[in-house]
Amino acid sequence: MYIIISIDINTISVGIPVNIQTLSGSKNKAYMECVYYQYKERSSLYINNFRAIKSKKGYGRKILINLKDIIRDINKVLKENNLKEVKIIEGLLVADENIISEKDLRNLYKKYGFIIDNQNNISINL
């Protein structure tokens, strides 16, 4: 199984699209659609969508287990383009109940160090 990262540095938008996905020999996969935002004091990666084709097959877990390495690779590209490194990952916990329950998704994020507030905002400092 491979993890593929695509960063559209040349996009003309408020943020820079960053997509992370698993690639394997089967149709099962997971993907995380994010947007990189640079602020004066910090920069962040905002998770817009994180899902797997099938739950509990380990594909989403594979991304979360390797998240620090993934961010290291993303930061390398950002630095090469004179952009600030990602220091925080943020998002909103939204479960697709057809694939994973909110409780299971909450537990998955917590297992890998994310903080979840009472409005389902998620974050992890790097």
Side-chain angles (χ1 to χ4, degrees):
M1 181 183 319
Y2 294 96
I3 296 176
I4 310 265
I5 305 165
S6 69
I7 304 170
D8 189 358
I9 292 290
N10 297 316
T11 191
I12 300 173
S13 181
V14 173
I16 296 172
V18 177
N19 294 305
I20 304 161
Q21 67 178 317
T22 58
L23 182 64
S24 68
S26 72
K27 291 182 181 181
N28 292 333
K29 68 176 184 176
Y31 59 93
M32 185 180 278
E33 295 173 353
C34 308
V35 177
Y36 166 82
Y37 294 105
Q38 180 170 289
Y39 310 100
K40 285 184 181 181
E41 66 281 354
R42 66 180 174 96
S43 61
S44 70
L45 195 64
Y46 189 88
I47 301 170
N48 283 330
N49 193 359
F50 178 42
R51 66 177 51 206
I53 301 299
K54 292 185 179 178
S55 70
K56 301 190 181 193
K57 300 292 182 192
Y59 293 94
R61 180 176 60 89
K62 187 74 165 176
I63 290 175
L64 293 175
I65 285 172
N66 292 291
L67 199 52
K68 290 190 186 215
D69 291 332
I70 291 167
I71 295 301
R72 186 191 66 234
D73 292 342
I74 290 169
N75 282 339
K76 212 183 291 185
V77 172
L78 294 172
K79 284 172 66 173
E80 289 170 1
N81 287 278
N82 298 316
L83 297 167
K84 292 182 180 180
E85 293 184 353
V86 172
K87 298 292 184 185
I88 187 169
I89 301 172
E90 304 169 301
L92 184 64
L93 186 147
V94 179
D96 180 343
E97 294 286 338
N98 294 319
I99 297 171
I100 190 168
S101 70
E102 183 176 314
K103 179 184 175 190
D104 287 346
L105 184 58
R106 179 179 296 275
N107 289 337
L108 182 66
Y109 275 123
K110 283 184 176 180
K111 181 177 181 177
Y112 294 101
F114 281 82
I115 296 167
I116 305 168
D117 71 13
N118 59 0
Q119 295 178 337
N120 281 354
N121 294 301
I122 61 171
S123 65
I124 187 168
N125 290 310
L126 305 169

